[in-house]
Amino acid sequence: MMICVYGAASDDINKQYISAGEELGLKMAQHGHGLIFGGGAGGLMGAAARGVHKGGGRIVGIIPSFFNVDGILYDKCDEQIFTDTMRIRKQTMEDMSDAFIITPGGVGTFDEFFEMLTLRSLGRHSKPMAILNTMGYYDNLVGMIEKGIEGGFIKPSVRDLTFVSDSVDEVLRYIDELSLIHISEP
């Protein structure tokens, strides 16, 4: 299975996030999964890629052409696909992925998460989605969604569309179990 991992591109973050990203990538490869990601060498993107590489998994970077600058891209991808725009990049990542894991990140990661969540809530995809909530990074986001549910802005069923855990093992177990259900659906 090819899993899309969204996450920070910055290295200016607590190293515990980087360690969790590398652990995620390594365990993905150990579970037989490959990585679809934004192609960056830094932050959680690079950490996940290094982990997958260490575990011998397949790595596909989807990169907008304007990011093709020295030192920005992860250089051990098995395949790099360059796109003209960020929008095409996101569409390509979505199309090539069997599941999505959201790791801590900034506005780009939020954008990617909410787009996939919106599409899933509208029935446009049924691929498993999980948030790796390292060090409680997404606690406020989960609280915001709950506030939206309480206020009637978000349907309660949205709670069931994304699994949230601070454990890499639990996130991968969820993805593996839900993907078996997804694959067996007619």
Side-chain angles (χ1 to χ4, degrees):
M1 172 184 347
M2 294 300 288
I3 299 175
C4 180
V5 174
Y6 298 122
S10 173
D11 283 326
D12 296 331
I13 58 177
N14 186 306
K15 298 308 174 207
Q16 288 180 281
Y17 294 119
I18 300 294
S19 295
E22 289 179 1
E23 177 188 1
L24 172 65
L26 178 61
K27 288 185 176 181
M28 282 172 50
Q30 291 170 343
H31 282 237
H33 305 311
L35 171 67
I36 302 286
F37 79 124
L44 291 169
M45 279 198 281
R50 287 189 301 277
V52 171
H53 180 77
K54 183 177 179 182
R58 180 166 170 70
I59 303 169
V60 178
I62 313 293
I63 307 152
S65 297
F66 61 87
F67 278 177
N68 193 6
V69 180
D70 286 344
I72 299 254
L73 302 181
Y74 184 72
D75 63 357
K76 293 183 176 70
C77 291
D78 296 293
E79 182 179 1
Q80 290 181 323
I81 299 171
F82 289 92
T83 64
D84 291 332
T85 66
M86 291 292 281
R87 177 65 216 125
I88 295 170
R89 174 200 202 191
K90 290 192 306 182
Q91 184 67 54
T92 304
M93 292 170 82
E94 175 190 346
D95 292 345
M96 292 183 72
S97 300
D98 301 304
F100 304 94
I101 297 176
I102 296 83
T103 65
V107 294
T109 304
F110 296 158
D111 172 56
E112 292 158 337
F113 166 67
F114 278 113
E115 182 167 348
M116 290 302 100
L117 181 62
T118 300
L119 292 172
R120 188 149 191 234
S121 72
L122 295 171
R124 305 311 300 168
H125 80 81
S126 59
K127 298 173 183 180
M129 293 179 60
I131 293 175
L132 180 58
N133 192 23
T134 305
M135 295 173 39
Y137 183 81
Y138 283 114
D139 288 352
N140 289 335
L141 182 134
V142 171
M144 183 180 74
I145 292 171
E146 284 301 319
K147 186 169 182 79
I149 291 169
E150 291 167 12
F153 296 97
I154 300 171
K155 293 180 181 177
S157 59
V158 168
R159 280 187 194 108
D160 300 328
L161 300 181
T162 304
F163 177 76
V164 181
S165 176
D166 63 355
S167 164
V168 168
D169 291 325
E170 287 180 8
V171 163
L172 288 174
R173 185 171 26 259
Y174 171 82
I175 294 288
D176 288 342
E177 289 173 2
L178 199 57
S179 66
L180 291 175
I181 294 167
H182 174 71
I183 290 168
S184 66
E185 290 177 348

